Amino acid sequence: NILDRPLGRSGARSSEGSVVSLSAFAYVYSELVQYHQGRAASISELERRLESAGYGVGLKVLEMTAYRAKETKRETRLMSILHFVSSSVWKSLFGKAADSLERSIDHTDEFMIIDYEPIASTFVSVPTDLGQLSADAYVSGIIAGVLDGAGFSARVTAHSVKVEEGEYTKQGSNAMPGMPPRKDKAVFLVKFSPEVLSRDAALER
C-alpha cells in the first residue's frame, strides 16, 4: 500500500523495505507549485495556497501514523506532540526524523523544527521574482494539519535559513546522489495559540 511507504532518497530503503519514488514526488510537487503560482497574486498568497494544500494531507497523516503505530492514547502535552511530529510523522513522510527540535529563546509560544535536507524544496527552482518564497510551505501546512487534528492549534510557517559553516557535518555523506550540498536549511516555526499554552500549563500543575 502506498500509504505505508515514506518518501526517501532514490534507491534508499525504509524499514518496511520500500519507498515512494523521489523523482515522482519531485515532479508532482513541482506541478503543484506551478499550478498555485498561476493562480496567486503574491508570494504570500502562493505560500498560503501551498499551506492549505498540505493541511488536508496533515489530517490524514495524523490518522495514518496513529493507525500504523497502533496507538490508543492521545497526546495531551505540548512537548509530546512536538516530539511526535518531529520523529514519528517525519519518519512516516521522509524516512528519517527531523534534525532538530528547538524552543525559541525570545518567545515561549514558539518552537522550531529543523530539517537540513528538506525534500519538498530540493528540486524546486525559485525564480528571482519570487525570491522570498519558501517552497517548503506545503510541509508547514502538513505540520499544521497534524497539530490541529490532534487538538493543538498553531500557526506554522516555513523559512529558508542559510547553513553556517561547520553547522551540519553529515551532509557530505548523506546527500542525495548527484546533488550538491545544500546551502539552506528548512526551519518550520510553530507558534501555538494561547488556548493551547494555557491548557498545557494547567496540566503541568
Side-chain angles (χ1 to χ4, degrees):
N1 188 329
I2 194 170
L3 293 178
D4 290 328
R5 304 176 187 174
L7 293 169
R9 299 176 179 82
S10 177
R13 292 285 174 180
S14 69
S15 57
E16 290 81 13
S18 60
V19 295
V20 173
S21 167
L22 181 57
S23 59
F25 168 79
Y27 173 76
V28 173
Y29 186 61
S30 177
E31 290 295 310
L32 176 70
V33 173
Q34 292 180 59
Y35 172 84
H36 287 295
Q37 180 182 350
R39 290 160 176 78
S42 64
I43 295 174
S44 58
E45 183 184 351
L46 175 55
E47 288 181 339
R48 284 196 300 270
R49 282 176 166 270
L50 291 174
E51 290 169 2
S52 180
Y55 182 86
V57 175
L59 295 174
K60 294 296 183 182
V61 167
L62 173 64
E63 182 180 355
M64 177 187 67
T65 306
Y67 173 78
R68 282 187 194 171
K70 303 296 189 292
E71 281 287 351
T72 56
K73 72 169 186 173
R74 177 175 172 269
E75 299 291 356
T76 58
R77 300 304 305 274
L78 189 148
M79 288 306 301
S80 296
I81 193 64
L82 283 171
H83 282 297
F84 172 76
V85 171
S86 62
S87 58
S88 299
V89 170
W90 231 258
K91 288 177 182 177
S92 177
L93 289 171
F94 309 122
K96 69 179 187 71
D99 292 298
S100 180
L101 171 62
E102 302 175 8
R103 186 167 195 158
S104 171
I105 298 174
D106 301 319
H107 305 283
T108 58
D109 59 344
E110 293 182 352
F111 296 80
M112 292 165 284
I113 299 174
I114 299 172
D115 192 339
Y116 285 98
E117 295 177 328
I119 289 178
S121 59
T122 296
F123 299 101
V124 175
S125 179
V126 179
T128 54
D129 59 325
L130 296 176
Q132 298 301 312
L133 171 69
S134 175
D136 292 297
Y138 180 75
V139 178
S140 68
I142 294 177
I143 298 170
V146 171
L147 292 173
D148 207 23
F152 294 82
S153 59
R155 175 78 175 108
V156 185
T157 53
H159 306 270
S160 184
V161 180
K162 184 178 180 180
V163 177
E164 299 296 332
E165 185 176 352
E167 179 181 354
Y168 185 54
T169 57
K170 296 189 301 180
Q171 188 168 245
S173 59
N174 290 352
M176 298 177 208
M179 294 296 295
R182 287 186 62 106
K183 297 180 180 179
D184 300 317
K185 61 186 175 184
V187 177
F188 299 94
L189 181 64
V190 181
K191 184 179 180 66
F192 287 101
S193 67
E195 294 77 13
V196 170
L197 296 174
S198 298
R199 184 183 67 202
D200 195 66
L203 289 172
E204 195 169 329
R205 290 198 291 267

